[in-house]
Amino acid sequence: MDNPSLQLRADLHNSIHRAFSKNRPVLTHLNADTTWLLQLPYPEIPASGRTHFNILIDPWLQGPQSDVAPWFSKQWHVVDSSVRTIPELEERLQDVQCITQNLDKAADIIRSWTHFALVQNIPAFPGEDADWTRTSFWPLPDWLGISRLVAKGDALYLHSALLFVFDAAAETASGSVEEDTAEAIVYSPHGIHAAHLGHMPSAIPPIRTLALLHGLDDISIRNAKQLNLGAHNGLRVQRLVKARYWVGTHDERKRSGGILAPFLLRRPVTLEEALQKEREQRGFVSDRSDLADLRDIKFAALQSGESLLLE
């Protein structure tokens, strides 16, 4: 077994033990781009003895990936992934649910592999009746809902988001149920416009956003087509969802090929630079302004193989 795999095993082992003691989610970056392992604690440990429900998000672990066709756009990782294959990860965790951002088209492709026992399309988050419990489709446990937030006309779901909502409430020793504490993870690797998250604040039952996964780099096709919305958009989203953690994603400086590569324009932006630009545009920041609300934000840029305990 190679060193990255040994390090991943050690990191996951330590994270799971820390999370078990606090009964909190763990987020692990499996590569330098946007492959994540999300481990959500069971409200009550099932008969299997498993403490966490494991979700693998956007698995691209090794080799190239292409958009449309290899001759059009092809990319390679620059940083090695912490785990090389899904079976290797399954060996560590025993049971993993795989989630991909590319939704309907990806579901058809994945079904053709005949590898997974079940492939489900992710439903849209309810609109006017914003009840997240309706997104707890079989075979998910009833305390977990997964849905997508999309904009009309975005046929490729490029500027969309996945919403993971879980209710960690559990029955106490006295038989009563703890206060409803539904929390959400918002995953948007290319960014989503804040207007398309408008139903979240009015969701019933209420949702508290625990973590926002949104990239910082601004990426476009020579100013003709916006691909990654970047840090400035992330600030607008953060003001709406008020996440406890903002975790950077999809910012790996990958090696590119194909006819599209020369036209890709990347503008690296840090959170501090984005905030400073807003201060310059808006002048004095009072303690009651929305810029002041971002002073205590917990931003994390996890490297490949690093984990974050979401408390």
Side-chain angles (χ1 to χ4, degrees), residues 58 100-103 147-152 154-163 186-193 196-197 212-215 227 229 233 237 249:
D58 271 347
T100 180
Q101 171 76 357
N102 291 325
L103 305 169
S147 60
R148 54 183 175 178
L149 296 156
V150 298
K152 291 182 179 179
D154 188 2
L156 299 177
Y157 305 118
L158 182 63
H159 297 138
S160 62
L162 291 178
L163 183 64
V186 179
Y187 171 70
S188 186
H190 297 102
I192 182 172
H193 296 288
H196 304 311
L197 295 166
L212 168 66
L213 277 67
H214 188 296
L227 300 179
L229 299 180
N233 182 77
V237 172
T249 192

PDB file of all heavy atoms in Angstrom, residues 58 100-103 147-152 154-163 186-193 196-197 212-215 227 229 233 237 249:
ATOM      1  N   ASP A  58     -18.854  13.456  -6.509  1.00  0.00           N
ATOM      2  CA  ASP A  58     -18.088  13.735  -7.730  1.00  0.00           C
ATOM      3  C   ASP A  58     -16.752  12.989  -7.780  1.00  0.00           C
ATOM      4  O   ASP A  58     -15.681  13.605  -7.768  1.00  0.00           O
ATOM      5  CB  ASP A  58     -17.844  15.240  -7.874  1.00  0.00           C
ATOM      6  CG  ASP A  58     -18.980  15.918  -8.636  1.00  0.00           C
ATOM      7  OD1 ASP A  58     -19.799  15.208  -9.249  1.00  0.00           O
ATOM      8  OD2 ASP A  58     -19.050  17.160  -8.610  1.00  0.00           O
ATOM      9  N   THR A 100     -23.066  12.347  -7.970  1.00  0.00           N
ATOM     10  CA  THR A 100     -22.355  13.144  -8.954  1.00  0.00           C
ATOM     11  C   THR A 100     -23.152  14.386  -9.302  1.00  0.00           C
ATOM     12  O   THR A 100     -24.386  14.371  -9.302  1.00  0.00           O
ATOM     13  CB  THR A 100     -22.062  12.339 -10.237  1.00  0.00           C
ATOM     14  OG1 THR A 100     -21.369  13.178 -11.162  1.00  0.00           O
ATOM     15  CG2 THR A 100     -23.332  11.822 -10.882  1.00  0.00           C
ATOM     16  N   GLN A 101     -22.445  15.469  -9.619  1.00  0.00           N
ATOM     17  CA  GLN A 101     -23.087  16.752  -9.894  1.00  0.00           C
ATOM     18  C   GLN A 101     -23.738  16.794 -11.265  1.00  0.00           C
ATOM     19  O   GLN A 101     -24.642  17.575 -11.505  1.00  0.00           O
ATOM     20  CB  GLN A 101     -22.033  17.868  -9.772  1.00  0.00           C
ATOM     21  CG  GLN A 101     -22.463  19.235 -10.237  1.00  0.00           C
ATOM     22  CD  GLN A 101     -23.370  19.931  -9.256  1.00  0.00           C
ATOM     23  OE1 GLN A 101     -23.731  19.381  -8.236  1.00  0.00           O
ATOM     24  NE2 GLN A 101     -23.761  21.144  -9.574  1.00  0.00           N
ATOM     25  N   ASN A 102     -23.308  15.932 -12.203  1.00  0.00           N
ATOM     26  CA  ASN A 102     -23.782  16.037 -13.577  1.00  0.00           C
ATOM     27  C   ASN A 102     -25.122  15.367 -13.826  1.00  0.00           C
ATOM     28  O   ASN A 102     -25.560  15.224 -14.971  1.00  0.00           O
ATOM     29  CB  ASN A 102     -22.728  15.495 -14.543  1.00  0.00           C
ATOM     30  CG  ASN A 102     -21.516  16.406 -14.589  1.00  0.00           C
ATOM     31  OD1 ASN A 102     -21.634  17.613 -14.479  1.00  0.00           O
ATOM     32  ND2 ASN A 102     -20.346  15.822 -14.720  1.00  0.00           N
ATOM     33  N   LEU A 103     -25.749  14.892 -12.775  1.00  0.00           N
ATOM     34  CA  LEU A 103     -27.160  14.551 -12.714  1.00  0.00           C
ATOM     35  C   LEU A 103     -27.669  13.619 -13.801  1.00  0.00           C
ATOM     36  O   LEU A 103     -27.164  12.522 -13.945  1.00  0.00           O
ATOM     37  CB  LEU A 103     -27.965  15.850 -12.641  1.00  0.00           C
ATOM     38  CG  LEU A 103     -27.521  16.758 -11.482  1.00  0.00           C
ATOM     39  CD1 LEU A 103     -28.153  18.126 -11.596  1.00  0.00           C
ATOM     40  CD2 LEU A 103     -27.816  16.123 -10.162  1.00  0.00           C
ATOM     41  N   SER A 147     -31.124  16.810  -2.742  1.00  0.00           N
ATOM     42  CA  SER A 147     -31.854  17.435  -3.848  1.00  0.00           C
ATOM     43  C   SER A 147     -30.923  18.344  -4.626  1.00  0.00           C
ATOM     44  O   SER A 147     -29.774  18.566  -4.243  1.00  0.00           O
ATOM     45  CB  SER A 147     -33.059  18.222  -3.327  1.00  0.00           C
ATOM     46  OG  SER A 147     -32.640  19.241  -2.427  1.00  0.00           O
ATOM     47  N   ARG A 148     -31.430  18.874  -5.731  1.00  0.00           N
ATOM     48  CA  ARG A 148     -30.652  19.776  -6.555  1.00  0.00           C
ATOM     49  C   ARG A 148     -31.344  21.128  -6.650  1.00  0.00           C
ATOM     50  O   ARG A 148     -32.563  21.218  -6.674  1.00  0.00           O
ATOM     51  CB  ARG A 148     -30.439  19.195  -7.953  1.00  0.00           C
ATOM     52  CG  ARG A 148     -31.718  18.801  -8.655  1.00  0.00           C
ATOM     53  CD  ARG A 148     -31.449  18.153 -10.000  1.00  0.00           C
ATOM     54  NE  ARG A 148     -32.658  17.671 -10.634  1.00  0.00           N
ATOM     55  CZ  ARG A 148     -32.706  17.103 -11.832  1.00  0.00           C
ATOM     56  NH1 ARG A 148     -31.602  16.959 -12.521  1.00  0.00           N
ATOM     57  NH2 ARG A 148     -33.844  16.684 -12.337  1.00  0.00           N
ATOM     58  N   LEU A 149     -30.546  22.165  -6.714  1.00  0.00           N
ATOM     59  CA  LEU A 149     -31.038  23.525  -6.887  1.00  0.00           C
ATOM     60  C   LEU A 149     -30.543  24.009  -8.234  1.00  0.00           C
ATOM     61  O   LEU A 149     -29.328  24.095  -8.465  1.00  0.00           O
ATOM     62  CB  LEU A 149     -30.513  24.421  -5.765  1.00  0.00           C
ATOM     63  CG  LEU A 149     -30.990  24.073  -4.354  1.00  0.00           C
ATOM     64  CD1 LEU A 149     -30.013  24.585  -3.317  1.00  0.00           C
ATOM     65  CD2 LEU A 149     -32.371  24.637  -4.093  1.00  0.00           C
ATOM     66  N   VAL A 150     -31.455  24.288  -9.147  1.00  0.00           N
ATOM     67  CA  VAL A 150     -31.069  24.644 -10.509  1.00  0.00           C
ATOM     68  C   VAL A 150     -31.806  25.892 -10.958  1.00  0.00           C
ATOM     69  O   VAL A 150     -32.842  26.266 -10.400  1.00  0.00           O
ATOM     70  CB  VAL A 150     -31.362  23.492 -11.494  1.00  0.00           C
ATOM     71  CG1 VAL A 150     -30.562  22.253 -11.134  1.00  0.00           C
ATOM     72  CG2 VAL A 150     -32.852  23.169 -11.516  1.00  0.00           C
ATOM     73  N   ALA A 151     -31.254  26.519 -12.009  1.00  0.00           N
ATOM     74  CA  ALA A 151     -31.877  27.692 -12.609  1.00  0.00           C
ATOM     75  C   ALA A 151     -32.577  27.294 -13.897  1.00  0.00           C
ATOM     76  O   ALA A 151     -32.103  26.417 -14.627  1.00  0.00           O
ATOM     77  CB  ALA A 151     -30.825  28.762 -12.898  1.00  0.00           C
ATOM     78  N   LYS A 152     -33.696  27.921 -14.185  1.00  0.00           N
ATOM     79  CA  LYS A 152     -34.391  27.662 -15.433  1.00  0.00           C
ATOM     80  C   LYS A 152     -33.482  28.058 -16.597  1.00  0.00           C
ATOM     81  O   LYS A 152     -32.840  29.096 -16.590  1.00  0.00           O
ATOM     82  CB  LYS A 152     -35.696  28.459 -15.493  1.00  0.00           C
ATOM     83  CG  LYS A 152     -36.757  27.982 -14.511  1.00  0.00           C
ATOM     84  CD  LYS A 152     -38.039  28.785 -14.674  1.00  0.00           C
ATOM     85  CE  LYS A 152     -39.109  28.285 -13.710  1.00  0.00           C
ATOM     86  NZ  LYS A 152     -40.380  29.073 -13.841  1.00  0.00           N
ATOM     87  N   ASP A 154     -30.783  26.512 -17.474  1.00  0.00           N
ATOM     88  CA  ASP A 154     -29.430  25.975 -17.302  1.00  0.00           C
ATOM     89  C   ASP A 154     -29.473  24.487 -17.624  1.00  0.00           C
ATOM     90  O   ASP A 154     -29.457  23.632 -16.732  1.00  0.00           O
ATOM     91  CB  ASP A 154     -28.939  26.225 -15.872  1.00  0.00           C
ATOM     92  CG  ASP A 154     -27.470  25.861 -15.686  1.00  0.00           C
ATOM     93  OD1 ASP A 154     -26.824  25.458 -16.673  1.00  0.00           O
ATOM     94  OD2 ASP A 154     -26.969  25.966 -14.547  1.00  0.00           O
ATOM     95  N   ALA A 155     -29.514  24.155 -18.912  1.00  0.00           N
ATOM     96  CA  ALA A 155     -29.725  22.776 -19.346  1.00  0.00           C
ATOM     97  C   ALA A 155     -28.604  21.844 -18.905  1.00  0.00           C
ATOM     98  O   ALA A 155     -28.827  20.648 -18.685  1.00  0.00           O
ATOM     99  CB  ALA A 155     -29.884  22.730 -20.867  1.00  0.00           C
ATOM    100  N   LEU A 156     -27.399  22.375 -18.772  1.00  0.00           N
ATOM    101  CA  LEU A 156     -26.252  21.550 -18.379  1.00  0.00           C
ATOM    102  C   LEU A 156     -26.054  21.511 -16.872  1.00  0.00           C
ATOM    103  O   LEU A 156     -25.111  20.881 -16.394  1.00  0.00           O
ATOM    104  CB  LEU A 156     -24.981  22.071 -19.061  1.00  0.00           C
ATOM    105  CG  LEU A 156     -24.984  22.037 -20.594  1.00  0.00           C
ATOM    106  CD1 LEU A 156     -23.698  22.638 -21.130  1.00  0.00           C
ATOM    107  CD2 LEU A 156     -25.166  20.612 -21.107  1.00  0.00           C
ATOM    108  N   TYR A 157     -26.925  22.186 -16.124  1.00  0.00           N
ATOM    109  CA  TYR A 157     -26.808  22.256 -14.654  1.00  0.00           C
ATOM    110  C   TYR A 157     -25.432  22.765 -14.229  1.00  0.00           C
ATOM    111  O   TYR A 157     -24.897  22.349 -13.199  1.00  0.00           O
ATOM    112  CB  TYR A 157     -27.067  20.884 -14.013  1.00  0.00           C
ATOM    113  CG  TYR A 157     -28.387  20.262 -14.383  1.00  0.00           C
ATOM    114  CD1 TYR A 157     -28.445  19.049 -15.068  1.00  0.00           C
ATOM    115  CD2 TYR A 157     -29.588  20.889 -14.057  1.00  0.00           C
ATOM    116  CE1 TYR A 157     -29.660  18.481 -15.408  1.00  0.00           C
ATOM    117  CE2 TYR A 157     -30.811  20.323 -14.390  1.00  0.00           C
ATOM    118  CZ  TYR A 157     -30.839  19.117 -15.069  1.00  0.00           C
ATOM    119  OH  TYR A 157     -32.039  18.569 -15.408  1.00  0.00           O
ATOM    120  N   LEU A 158     -24.846  23.663 -15.029  1.00  0.00           N
ATOM    121  CA  LEU A 158     -23.504  24.140 -14.717  1.00  0.00           C
ATOM    122  C   LEU A 158     -23.501  24.964 -13.436  1.00  0.00           C
ATOM    123  O   LEU A 158     -22.701  24.724 -12.523  1.00  0.00           O
ATOM    124  CB  LEU A 158     -22.963  24.972 -15.883  1.00  0.00           C
ATOM    125  CG  LEU A 158     -21.536  25.501 -15.737  1.00  0.00           C
ATOM    126  CD1 LEU A 158     -20.549  24.346 -15.655  1.00  0.00           C
ATOM    127  CD2 LEU A 158     -21.179  26.425 -16.897  1.00  0.00           C
ATOM    128  N   HIS A 159     -24.384  25.955 -13.356  1.00  0.00           N
ATOM    129  CA  HIS A 159     -24.449  26.811 -12.171  1.00  0.00           C
ATOM    130  C   HIS A 159     -25.627  26.368 -11.303  1.00  0.00           C
ATOM    131  O   HIS A 159     -26.645  27.042 -11.184  1.00  0.00           O
ATOM    132  CB  HIS A 159     -24.564  28.276 -12.593  1.00  0.00           C
ATOM    133  CG  HIS A 159     -23.371  28.742 -13.354  1.00  0.00           C
ATOM    134  ND1 HIS A 159     -23.444  29.537 -14.474  1.00  0.00           N
ATOM    135  CD2 HIS A 159     -22.052  28.482 -13.168  1.00  0.00           C
ATOM    136  CE1 HIS A 159     -22.228  29.749 -14.938  1.00  0.00           C
ATOM    137  NE2 HIS A 159     -21.373  29.129 -14.162  1.00  0.00           N
ATOM    138  N   SER A 160     -25.428  25.213 -10.716  1.00  0.00           N
ATOM    139  CA  SER A 160     -26.440  24.594  -9.871  1.00  0.00           C
ATOM    140  C   SER A 160     -25.790  24.184  -8.558  1.00  0.00           C
ATOM    141  O   SER A 160     -24.621  24.484  -8.308  1.00  0.00           O
ATOM    142  CB  SER A 160     -27.048  23.376 -10.578  1.00  0.00           C
ATOM    143  OG  SER A 160     -26.039  22.395 -10.804  1.00  0.00           O
ATOM    144  N   ALA A 161     -26.536  23.505  -7.729  1.00  0.00           N
ATOM    145  CA  ALA A 161     -26.001  23.061  -6.443  1.00  0.00           C
ATOM    146  C   ALA A 161     -26.692  21.779  -6.020  1.00  0.00           C
ATOM    147  O   ALA A 161     -27.838  21.505  -6.409  1.00  0.00           O
ATOM    148  CB  ALA A 161     -26.185  24.137  -5.364  1.00  0.00           C
ATOM    149  N   LEU A 162     -25.994  20.984  -5.242  1.00  0.00           N
ATOM    150  CA  LEU A 162     -26.587  19.842  -4.559  1.00  0.00           C
ATOM    151  C   LEU A 162     -26.786  20.229  -3.105  1.00  0.00           C
ATOM    152  O   LEU A 162     -25.934  20.879  -2.494  1.00  0.00           O
ATOM    153  CB  LEU A 162     -25.687  18.608  -4.657  1.00  0.00           C
ATOM    154  CG  LEU A 162     -25.540  17.971  -6.033  1.00  0.00           C
ATOM    155  CD1 LEU A 162     -24.587  16.788  -5.972  1.00  0.00           C
ATOM    156  CD2 LEU A 162     -26.894  17.526  -6.576  1.00  0.00           C
ATOM    157  N   LEU A 163     -27.923  19.812  -2.574  1.00  0.00           N
ATOM    158  CA  LEU A 163     -28.278  20.152  -1.200  1.00  0.00           C
ATOM    159  C   LEU A 163     -28.432  18.864  -0.400  1.00  0.00           C
ATOM    160  O   LEU A 163     -29.268  18.015  -0.725  1.00  0.00           O
ATOM    161  CB  LEU A 163     -29.582  20.948  -1.184  1.00  0.00           C
ATOM    162  CG  LEU A 163     -30.071  21.454   0.174  1.00  0.00           C
ATOM    163  CD1 LEU A 163     -29.077  22.454   0.770  1.00  0.00           C
ATOM    164  CD2 LEU A 163     -31.452  22.101   0.033  1.00  0.00           C
ATOM    165  N   VAL A 186     -24.335  22.673   1.321  1.00  0.00           N
ATOM    166  CA  VAL A 186     -24.602  23.168  -0.023  1.00  0.00           C
ATOM    167  C   VAL A 186     -23.333  22.978  -0.843  1.00  0.00           C
ATOM    168  O   VAL A 186     -22.285  23.540  -0.523  1.00  0.00           O
ATOM    169  CB  VAL A 186     -25.009  24.655  -0.015  1.00  0.00           C
ATOM    170  CG1 VAL A 186     -25.253  25.147  -1.447  1.00  0.00           C
ATOM    171  CG2 VAL A 186     -26.252  24.862   0.836  1.00  0.00           C
ATOM    172  N   TYR A 187     -23.446  22.173  -1.910  1.00  0.00           N
ATOM    173  CA  TYR A 187     -22.285  21.851  -2.744  1.00  0.00           C
ATOM    174  C   TYR A 187     -22.483  22.434  -4.138  1.00  0.00           C
ATOM    175  O   TYR A 187     -23.394  22.041  -4.861  1.00  0.00           O
ATOM    176  CB  TYR A 187     -22.121  20.326  -2.825  1.00  0.00           C
ATOM    177  CG  TYR A 187     -21.089  19.856  -3.833  1.00  0.00           C
ATOM    178  CD1 TYR A 187     -19.729  20.059  -3.615  1.00  0.00           C
ATOM    179  CD2 TYR A 187     -21.483  19.196  -4.996  1.00  0.00           C
ATOM    180  CE1 TYR A 187     -18.785  19.629  -4.539  1.00  0.00           C
ATOM    181  CE2 TYR A 187     -20.542  18.755  -5.925  1.00  0.00           C
ATOM    182  CZ  TYR A 187     -19.203  18.970  -5.685  1.00  0.00           C
ATOM    183  OH  TYR A 187     -18.275  18.542  -6.594  1.00  0.00           O
ATOM    184  N   SER A 188     -21.649  23.405  -4.501  1.00  0.00           N
ATOM    185  CA  SER A 188     -21.777  24.064  -5.806  1.00  0.00           C
ATOM    186  C   SER A 188     -20.388  24.330  -6.377  1.00  0.00           C
ATOM    187  O   SER A 188     -19.831  25.419  -6.208  1.00  0.00           O
ATOM    188  CB  SER A 188     -22.560  25.377  -5.667  1.00  0.00           C
ATOM    189  OG  SER A 188     -22.800  25.950  -6.926  1.00  0.00           O
ATOM    190  N   PRO A 189     -19.781  23.350  -7.059  1.00  0.00           N
ATOM    191  CA  PRO A 189     -18.393  23.493  -7.516  1.00  0.00           C
ATOM    192  C   PRO A 189     -18.171  24.616  -8.524  1.00  0.00           C
ATOM    193  O   PRO A 189     -17.108  25.242  -8.530  1.00  0.00           O
ATOM    194  CB  PRO A 189     -18.090  22.120  -8.123  1.00  0.00           C
ATOM    195  CG  PRO A 189     -19.417  21.534  -8.451  1.00  0.00           C
ATOM    196  CD  PRO A 189     -20.349  22.041  -7.402  1.00  0.00           C
ATOM    197  N   HIS A 190     -19.160  24.896  -9.400  1.00  0.00           N
ATOM    198  CA  HIS A 190     -19.019  25.993 -10.360  1.00  0.00           C
ATOM    199  C   HIS A 190     -19.656  27.283  -9.849  1.00  0.00           C
ATOM    200  O   HIS A 190     -19.512  28.329 -10.481  1.00  0.00           O
ATOM    201  CB  HIS A 190     -19.655  25.623 -11.699  1.00  0.00           C
ATOM    202  CG  HIS A 190     -19.001  24.460 -12.374  1.00  0.00           C
ATOM    203  ND1 HIS A 190     -19.531  23.186 -12.361  1.00  0.00           N
ATOM    204  CD2 HIS A 190     -17.837  24.369 -13.068  1.00  0.00           C
ATOM    205  CE1 HIS A 190     -18.738  22.364 -13.019  1.00  0.00           C
ATOM    206  NE2 HIS A 190     -17.701  23.045 -13.450  1.00  0.00           N
ATOM    207  N   GLY A 191     -20.360  27.193  -8.735  1.00  0.00           N
ATOM    208  CA  GLY A 191     -21.064  28.349  -8.202  1.00  0.00           C
ATOM    209  C   GLY A 191     -22.511  28.365  -8.644  1.00  0.00           C
ATOM    210  O   GLY A 191     -22.857  27.885  -9.726  1.00  0.00           O
ATOM    211  N   ILE A 192     -23.362  28.923  -7.808  1.00  0.00           N
ATOM    212  CA  ILE A 192     -24.780  29.088  -8.113  1.00  0.00           C
ATOM    213  C   ILE A 192     -25.158  30.509  -7.728  1.00  0.00           C
ATOM    214  O   ILE A 192     -24.689  31.039  -6.720  1.00  0.00           O
ATOM    215  CB  ILE A 192     -25.650  28.059  -7.355  1.00  0.00           C
ATOM    216  CG1 ILE A 192     -27.126  28.218  -7.737  1.00  0.00           C
ATOM    217  CG2 ILE A 192     -25.441  28.151  -5.857  1.00  0.00           C
ATOM    218  CD1 ILE A 192     -28.015  27.111  -7.186  1.00  0.00           C
ATOM    219  N   HIS A 193     -25.977  31.152  -8.535  1.00  0.00           N
ATOM    220  CA  HIS A 193     -26.393  32.506  -8.217  1.00  0.00           C
ATOM    221  C   HIS A 193     -27.308  32.495  -6.990  1.00  0.00           C
ATOM    222  O   HIS A 193     -28.185  31.621  -6.860  1.00  0.00           O
ATOM    223  CB  HIS A 193     -27.104  33.137  -9.410  1.00  0.00           C
ATOM    224  CG  HIS A 193     -26.217  33.312 -10.606  1.00  0.00           C
ATOM    225  ND1 HIS A 193     -25.216  34.264 -10.656  1.00  0.00           N
ATOM    226  CD2 HIS A 193     -26.156  32.643 -11.782  1.00  0.00           C
ATOM    227  CE1 HIS A 193     -24.587  34.180 -11.819  1.00  0.00           C
ATOM    228  NE2 HIS A 193     -25.136  33.208 -12.524  1.00  0.00           N
ATOM    229  N   HIS A 196     -31.104  31.735  -6.857  1.00  0.00           N
ATOM    230  CA  HIS A 196     -31.647  30.391  -7.021  1.00  0.00           C
ATOM    231  C   HIS A 196     -31.619  29.594  -5.719  1.00  0.00           C
ATOM    232  O   HIS A 196     -31.958  28.404  -5.703  1.00  0.00           O
ATOM    233  CB  HIS A 196     -30.879  29.647  -8.112  1.00  0.00           C
ATOM    234  CG  HIS A 196     -30.874  30.378  -9.421  1.00  0.00           C
ATOM    235  ND1 HIS A 196     -32.021  30.886  -9.995  1.00  0.00           N
ATOM    236  CD2 HIS A 196     -29.857  30.722 -10.267  1.00  0.00           C
ATOM    237  CE1 HIS A 196     -31.721  31.489 -11.131  1.00  0.00           C
ATOM    238  NE2 HIS A 196     -30.417  31.412 -11.312  1.00  0.00           N
ATOM    239  N   LEU A 197     -31.197  30.245  -4.642  1.00  0.00           N
ATOM    240  CA  LEU A 197     -31.222  29.624  -3.313  1.00  0.00           C
ATOM    241  C   LEU A 197     -32.309  30.252  -2.441  1.00  0.00           C
ATOM    242  O   LEU A 197     -32.356  30.021  -1.245  1.00  0.00           O
ATOM    243  CB  LEU A 197     -29.860  29.787  -2.625  1.00  0.00           C
ATOM    244  CG  LEU A 197     -28.688  29.058  -3.283  1.00  0.00           C
ATOM    245  CD1 LEU A 197     -27.374  29.584  -2.715  1.00  0.00           C
ATOM    246  CD2 LEU A 197     -28.785  27.565  -3.052  1.00  0.00           C
ATOM    247  N   LEU A 212     -20.889  25.450   3.217  1.00  0.00           N
ATOM    248  CA  LEU A 212     -21.010  25.822   1.811  1.00  0.00           C
ATOM    249  C   LEU A 212     -19.730  25.408   1.103  1.00  0.00           C
ATOM    250  O   LEU A 212     -18.639  25.826   1.499  1.00  0.00           O
ATOM    251  CB  LEU A 212     -21.219  27.328   1.671  1.00  0.00           C
ATOM    252  CG  LEU A 212     -21.070  27.914   0.254  1.00  0.00           C
ATOM    253  CD1 LEU A 212     -22.168  27.405  -0.656  1.00  0.00           C
ATOM    254  CD2 LEU A 212     -21.059  29.450   0.302  1.00  0.00           C
ATOM    255  N   LEU A 213     -19.840  24.577   0.077  1.00  0.00           N
ATOM    256  CA  LEU A 213     -18.693  24.194  -0.741  1.00  0.00           C
ATOM    257  C   LEU A 213     -18.807  24.959  -2.058  1.00  0.00           C
ATOM    258  O   LEU A 213     -19.673  24.666  -2.895  1.00  0.00           O
ATOM    259  CB  LEU A 213     -18.673  22.688  -1.004  1.00  0.00           C
ATOM    260  CG  LEU A 213     -18.061  21.807   0.101  1.00  0.00           C
ATOM    261  CD1 LEU A 213     -18.941  21.836   1.353  1.00  0.00           C
ATOM    262  CD2 LEU A 213     -17.889  20.373  -0.375  1.00  0.00           C
ATOM    263  N   HIS A 214     -17.939  25.953  -2.235  1.00  0.00           N
ATOM    264  CA  HIS A 214     -18.009  26.876  -3.379  1.00  0.00           C
ATOM    265  C   HIS A 214     -16.600  27.333  -3.685  1.00  0.00           C
ATOM    266  O   HIS A 214     -15.838  27.687  -2.789  1.00  0.00           O
ATOM    267  CB  HIS A 214     -18.893  28.070  -2.992  1.00  0.00           C
ATOM    268  CG  HIS A 214     -19.227  29.005  -4.120  1.00  0.00           C
ATOM    269  ND1 HIS A 214     -18.273  29.753  -4.790  1.00  0.00           N
ATOM    270  CD2 HIS A 214     -20.419  29.344  -4.685  1.00  0.00           C
ATOM    271  CE1 HIS A 214     -18.869  30.494  -5.717  1.00  0.00           C
ATOM    272  NE2 HIS A 214     -20.170  30.267  -5.679  1.00  0.00           N
ATOM    273  N   GLY A 215     -16.221  27.314  -4.960  1.00  0.00           N
ATOM    274  CA  GLY A 215     -14.866  27.671  -5.346  1.00  0.00           C
ATOM    275  C   GLY A 215     -14.583  29.158  -5.259  1.00  0.00           C
ATOM    276  O   GLY A 215     -15.491  29.991  -5.161  1.00  0.00           O
ATOM    277  N   LEU A 227     -17.675  30.049 -16.498  1.00  0.00           N
ATOM    278  CA  LEU A 227     -17.692  28.666 -16.039  1.00  0.00           C
ATOM    279  C   LEU A 227     -17.771  28.607 -14.517  1.00  0.00           C
ATOM    280  O   LEU A 227     -18.786  28.214 -13.958  1.00  0.00           O
ATOM    281  CB  LEU A 227     -16.452  27.923 -16.554  1.00  0.00           C
ATOM    282  CG  LEU A 227     -16.310  27.852 -18.091  1.00  0.00           C
ATOM    283  CD1 LEU A 227     -15.033  27.127 -18.479  1.00  0.00           C
ATOM    284  CD2 LEU A 227     -17.525  27.175 -18.708  1.00  0.00           C
ATOM    285  N   LEU A 229     -17.979  30.692 -11.067  1.00  0.00           N
ATOM    286  CA  LEU A 229     -18.390  32.051 -10.696  1.00  0.00           C
ATOM    287  C   LEU A 229     -17.445  32.708  -9.696  1.00  0.00           C
ATOM    288  O   LEU A 229     -17.405  33.932  -9.600  1.00  0.00           O
ATOM    289  CB  LEU A 229     -19.814  32.015 -10.139  1.00  0.00           C
ATOM    290  CG  LEU A 229     -20.883  31.503 -11.109  1.00  0.00           C
ATOM    291  CD1 LEU A 229     -22.259  31.514 -10.444  1.00  0.00           C
ATOM    292  CD2 LEU A 229     -20.907  32.321 -12.388  1.00  0.00           C
ATOM    293  N   ASN A 233     -19.020  35.795  -6.232  1.00  0.00           N
ATOM    294  CA  ASN A 233     -20.345  35.173  -6.180  1.00  0.00           C
ATOM    295  C   ASN A 233     -20.518  34.400  -4.878  1.00  0.00           C
ATOM    296  O   ASN A 233     -21.602  34.391  -4.281  1.00  0.00           O
ATOM    297  CB  ASN A 233     -20.533  34.238  -7.370  1.00  0.00           C
ATOM    298  CG  ASN A 233     -21.912  33.603  -7.389  1.00  0.00           C
ATOM    299  OD1 ASN A 233     -22.904  34.221  -7.748  1.00  0.00           O
ATOM    300  ND2 ASN A 233     -21.989  32.356  -6.971  1.00  0.00           N
ATOM    301  N   VAL A 237     -23.630  34.300  -2.058  1.00  0.00           N
ATOM    302  CA  VAL A 237     -24.297  33.071  -1.617  1.00  0.00           C
ATOM    303  C   VAL A 237     -24.170  32.915  -0.103  1.00  0.00           C
ATOM    304  O   VAL A 237     -25.133  32.572   0.589  1.00  0.00           O
ATOM    305  CB  VAL A 237     -23.702  31.844  -2.343  1.00  0.00           C
ATOM    306  CG1 VAL A 237     -24.249  30.545  -1.756  1.00  0.00           C
ATOM    307  CG2 VAL A 237     -23.999  31.915  -3.832  1.00  0.00           C
ATOM    308  N   THR A 249     -13.617  24.645  -3.177  1.00  0.00           N
ATOM    309  CA  THR A 249     -13.643  23.423  -3.981  1.00  0.00           C
ATOM    310  C   THR A 249     -13.469  23.762  -5.456  1.00  0.00           C
ATOM    311  O   THR A 249     -13.724  24.898  -5.882  1.00  0.00           O
ATOM    312  CB  THR A 249     -14.967  22.654  -3.753  1.00  0.00           C
ATOM    313  OG1 THR A 249     -14.857  21.347  -4.319  1.00  0.00           O
ATOM    314  CG2 THR A 249     -16.158  23.365  -4.376  1.00  0.00           C
TER     315      THR A 249
END
